[in-house]
Amino acid sequence: MEIPITIHSDEKGYFDRECPNENCLYTFKINMQDWKEKISDDEVHCPMCGHIDTADKWWTQEQLESMQEIAASYAMSMITKELDKAFGKLARSTRNNKFLKITYKPSKKITFQNNPIGQSEEWETDITCEKCGTRYSVIGSAYFCPCCGHNSAVSAFNESTDSIEKMLKSLPEMKQLLTESYGRDKAETMCRGLLESSLGDIVSSFQKFASCHYDKLTGEISRVNDFQIVEKGNQLFKDATGKGYEEWLSDKELHNMNMFFQRRHLIEHNNGMVDQKYVDKSGDNSYVIGQRLVIKENDAYALLAIIKKLAKGLMTL
Ligand SMILES: [Zn+2]
Ligand SMILES: [Zn+2]
């Protein structure tokens, strides 16, 4: 029995895929046309872990569930139809029998609906592979092109810093919209949260880029967290290539980069409350211990500019 199932893309023409590697199960989106035309049947690469598998393995849990539901309701409608046929006949044949009478009312019909399998809402980071042109979309940043496996650290970095920048730019507008729906206090808190987490996003897009780039240069495998600490990451590149961050950043920029990385750490691990460790590590004298950090939009823009400059430099290695 073949059940016709149609999978529709979202408005942007993308549809969901999930990595079959059980340790990963990363979900991403790929342009449907590219999936049909570019992806080979034998080799699809997971953008996150690089696992390679045949093209029939990439269903998301949601898609599998929907397919099961569709199959079940299809089977149900077939059965009902058969029952209607059988009992309808029986009822008709006993109509004139005075000893036996079977009446049968056809059940309420279950009509088969081939619900298009919908897609989850559109995501943030769109990537076009610089090597093969496949269009895909991920949450945060990813490493590999699902089609050709090209390690896309550079484009992932560009796309993610781009979307952070867009988010920052839309903050005033967002605040206004949120104020209308939730009032000024809540809107203020929400936007402050977004701004603070943007520091984390900037740091993590740099980390991913740096670790990926370092691995490519050295043939070694680094830990992403190595690049969370400015000094440590700097030393790794210096040891491997003879060139450190100072090559492209001024003392002040390097100092600020370290300070913003420390601020991000404090926000994520100590709710932004300034402690001795922060003061020691960041060299930031503008706070007293026990105060809470205040992150400004300009801080996020400044950090973004620094890591963009640094990444551009590192790319020349
Ligand atoms: Zn994976
Ligand atoms: Zn590619």
Side-chain angles (χ1 to χ4, degrees):
M1 180 162 77
E2 253 183 37
I3 303 170
I5 291 180
T6 323
I7 296 184
H8 290 269
S9 59
D10 62 18
E11 293 105 81
K12 277 183 351 196
Y14 287 64
F15 84 123
D16 293 359
R17 307 276 63 190
E18 184 184 292
C19 174
N21 170 5
E22 284 199 8
N23 295 319
C24 176
L25 300 178
Y26 182 71
T27 324
F28 59 100
K29 278 171 183 289
I30 185 159
N31 179 283
M32 202 168 220
Q33 199 187 342
D34 290 351
W35 179 267
K36 284 185 193 144
E37 291 168 10
K38 291 189 171 170
I39 295 273
S40 98
D41 288 344
D42 314 318
E43 244 186 54
V44 181
H45 302 252
C46 168
M48 183 49 80
C49 75
H51 174 79
I52 300 172
D53 221 321
T54 49
D56 56 337
K57 303 264 166 59
W58 300 76
W59 300 105
T60 67
Q61 298 308 312
E62 245 179 17
Q63 286 166 342
L64 289 173
E65 267 165 37
S66 313
M67 279 194 275
Q68 232 156 34
E69 263 167 45
I70 289 173
S73 79
Y74 188 79
M76 210 51 198
S77 83
M78 295 285 282
I79 291 167
T80 316
K81 221 160 87 189
E82 289 304 311
L83 283 178
D84 281 352
K85 242 198 276 174
F87 280 104
K89 214 157 124 194
L90 198 58
R92 275 194 302 278
S93 73
T94 60
R95 202 175 292 147
N96 302 315
N97 188 322
K98 39 175 157 162
F99 304 106
L100 176 74
K101 192 165 185 183
I102 294 176
T103 46
Y104 174 71
K105 275 192 197 130
S107 67
K108 211 175 108 203
K109 272 217 180 80
I110 300 171
T111 42
F112 172 65
Q113 266 188 338
N114 187 353
N115 284 323
I117 297 176
Q119 303 298 312
S120 41
E121 75 246 40
E122 287 168 47
W123 290 356
E124 289 291 321
T125 314
D126 295 336
I127 300 172
T128 303
C129 174
E130 57 209 350
K131 203 167 152 203
C132 74
T134 295
R135 291 156 289 176
Y136 59 107
S137 181
V138 296
I139 288 181
S141 11
Y143 300 110
F144 307 100
C145 164
C147 178
C148 70
H150 176 68
N151 187 325
S152 56
V154 174
S155 37
F157 175 77
N158 289 338
E159 317 271 4
S160 71
T161 48
D162 214 51
S163 56
I164 295 167
E165 211 164 335
K166 277 189 202 137
M167 193 281 285
L168 288 172
K169 277 196 188 127
S170 68
L171 265 180
E173 200 187 332
M174 244 187 293
K175 198 181 211 165
Q176 210 175 353
L177 284 171
L178 288 169
T179 305
E180 281 163 26
S181 325
Y182 299 102
R184 220 158 95 195
D185 284 353
K186 272 214 173 101
E188 185 75 39
T189 312
M190 284 166 155
C191 287
R192 198 190 309 137
L194 282 171
L195 183 57
E196 287 181 352
S197 68
S198 79
L199 277 192
D201 297 336
I202 299 169
V203 171
S204 86
S205 58
F206 175 75
Q207 272 178 276
K208 282 185 182 173
F209 162 76
S211 139
C212 215
H213 191 56
Y214 177 85
D215 293 358
K216 230 185 196 169
L217 283 172
T218 59
E220 284 168 34
I221 292 176
S222 61
R223 294 182 324 144
V224 172
N225 281 355
D226 289 343
F227 300 93
Q228 202 173 89
I229 301 154
V230 175
E231 217 170 295
K232 195 170 179 185
N234 191 3
Q235 198 59 47
L236 280 171
F237 275 106
K238 229 181 253 172
D239 291 344
T241 67
K243 284 184 180 173
Y245 296 174
E246 298 88 354
E247 203 79 26
W248 305 282
L249 299 181
S250 69
D251 285 352
K252 182 150 192 272
E253 285 167 329
L254 200 54
H255 168 85
N256 284 344
M257 179 179 172
N258 178 56
M259 183 183 74
F260 288 131
F261 271 48
Q262 294 295 342
R263 284 189 181 173
R264 177 243 134 216
H265 185 85
L266 198 64
I267 284 166
E268 260 162 48
H269 301 287
N270 202 25
N271 195 26
M273 303 303 292
V274 173
D275 56 15
Q276 188 65 50
K277 226 162 95 189
Y278 167 78
V279 176
D280 292 345
K281 285 188 171 174
S282 67
D284 180 6
N285 297 318
S286 51
Y287 289 95
V288 174
I289 292 161
Q291 280 188 314
R292 196 182 184 284
L293 291 178
V294 180
I295 305 299
K296 303 241 167 64
E297 273 171 56
N298 280 344
D299 295 343
Y301 281 121
L303 179 60
L304 205 52
I306 291 170
I307 62 141
K308 275 167 93 171
K309 193 172 172 190
L310 178 56
K312 207 170 148 199
L314 289 169
M315 275 175 221
T316 62
L317 288 175

